[in-house]
Amino acid sequence: MQIAIRGSGTPLILLHGWGMHSGVFAALADVLAEQHTLYLVDLPGHGHSRDETTPLEANACVQAIVDNTPPAAWLGWSLGGLLSLHAALHRTQSVQALVMLCALPRFVRAPDWPHGMDADTFTTFGNELARDYRGTLERFIALETLGSEDAAVELRLLRAQVFAHGDPAPRALQQGLRLLEQTDLRADLPALAVPSLWLAGRRDRLADWRAMQASATLAPNARFHRIEGAAHAPFLTHVDEVSAQVLAFLADVDADSFANAPAAVA
C-alpha cells in the first residue's frame, strides 16, 4: 500500500474517498503538515496503490494501514471516514483521535435514518461501473459538488484529481460501493473510545449534515461543526475553515483537555 509521509509533529493519517487518492488532500495537507506528520494513504485499488492486492474491505484494509503506520489520529473523508471509524472502534490501540470529514456510520437511508442516500443510487452506480466506469466516476463527482456555493470550482478540482495518479481499479470501485451501501456502524458509536470531530458541509447531498450531527450525539467525547456553503468536499472550497477546526481539535486532544466533553454544536 502506498503511503506518503510529509510534515513534522504528532502523526495524523489521512484517508481519501471513493474513486479518489491521497492527492486530493494537497491543499489541506499543506496546512496540516506544519504541525503534524502526515501519512497520506492511497487506498487499495486507488492512486499509486492501484495494484495493491488487499481487498477494499474494512478489516483487511484497516489492518494493512495499521501495519504500516504508527499510532495516530485518523482523518477520513467520505469512504475514508467509514474506514477510519471502523479503525477507531476495532483498533483502539492504533487510533488516538478521529476526524470524520463529510462521513457517516451509515450512508444509506433507512426508516430510522431519514437523511441517508437512496439505496437505488448505489445500485445504479454499481451497474453503470461495468459499462462505463469513467463516466460513472464523473457522475459521482458531480453529485459530490451538487449544492456547493463554489460548485464549479469544486467540480473542476475534483475532475482534475480523479485520474491524476492513474485510473482506479474497477474491482476496488465495486468493493468501495459495497462498503458504502452495506456498512452500518451506528450501534457501535456509544462505544467509541476516542475523541471525535464531525465536520459537515451544510449543502452536502451525500453525507447530510443532520445525519452527521445525529451521529455526533451518539458518540461520547464528540464535537460537531457545520461548514456553511460547503458540499461534500469542503477541504477544497473551505480549506482554511477545515484546517482550523482540525488543528484546534487535535491541539485539544494533545493537551488532554477534551476528555469527557459532551457533544457540542459549533
Side-chain angles (χ1 to χ4, degrees):
M1 185 179 296
Q2 176 68 31
I3 302 177
I5 304 172
R6 59 173 297 194
S8 61
T10 55
L12 173 62
I13 295 168
L14 279 71
L15 300 186
H16 60 81
W18 184 80
M20 291 292 172
H21 52 80
S22 60
V24 76
F25 290 127
L28 180 62
D30 285 344
V31 181
L32 299 182
E34 295 179 3
Q35 299 185 36
H36 295 276
T37 300
L38 306 183
Y39 293 80
L40 294 148
V41 177
D42 277 355
L43 294 172
H46 295 72
H48 296 308
S49 295
R50 188 185 193 282
D51 298 324
E52 168 68 38
T53 58
T54 301
L56 191 56
E57 181 274 331
N59 285 318
C61 190
V62 165
Q63 188 61 55
I65 296 169
V66 167
D67 288 344
N68 290 281
T69 56
W74 287 44
L75 181 155
W77 169 51
S78 196
L79 173 63
L82 198 61
L83 293 169
S84 298
L85 178 57
H86 180 92
L89 289 167
H90 299 287
R91 301 292 190 275
T92 55
Q93 299 303 310
S94 299
V95 183
Q96 299 173 333
L98 173 68
V99 179
M100 295 286 282
L101 180 54
C102 297
L104 293 167
R106 177 189 176 106
F107 276 84
V108 177
R109 186 180 305 139
D112 61 345
W113 197 244
H115 302 302
M117 290 180 63
D118 193 322
D120 289 343
T121 300
F122 292 99
T123 301
T124 300
F125 278 129
N127 292 337
E128 291 178 346
L129 275 174
R131 295 192 298 269
D132 178 18
Y133 80 91
R134 275 182 170 257
T136 303
L137 279 171
E138 287 274 357
R139 287 187 287 277
F140 189 81
I141 290 169
L143 184 59
E144 289 180 312
T145 63
L146 191 65
S148 171
E149 65 181 5
D150 295 310
V153 173
E154 195 170 339
L155 183 60
R156 175 175 53 80
L157 291 171
L158 284 174
R159 278 177 171 165
Q161 284 289 345
V162 62
F163 301 115
H165 292 178
D167 293 4
R171 59 169 177 80
L173 294 176
Q174 291 285 5
Q175 291 168 352
L177 277 182
R178 283 196 295 271
L179 268 177
L180 290 168
E181 182 179 8
Q182 298 174 7
T183 304
D184 187 352
L185 299 175
R186 290 176 298 163
D188 298 322
L189 286 176
L192 186 62
V194 299
S196 59
L197 170 64
W198 301 70
L199 286 177
R202 170 67 176 81
R203 301 183 180 188
D204 193 343
R205 305 294 179 87
L206 298 179
D208 192 289
W209 70 267
R210 292 164 293 187
M212 289 197 67
Q213 186 177 33
S215 301
T217 63
L218 294 173
N221 303 333
R223 177 183 296 180
F224 172 82
H225 179 80
R226 188 178 73 186
I227 301 172
E228 303 299 325
H232 194 58
F235 54 88
L236 295 178
T237 56
H238 297 73
V239 64
D240 290 342
E241 187 169 354
V242 171
S243 59
Q245 288 292 322
V246 172
L247 290 173
F249 168 71
L250 294 177
D252 285 346
V253 171
D254 290 343
D256 199 28
S257 62
F258 194 56
N260 301 316
V265 178

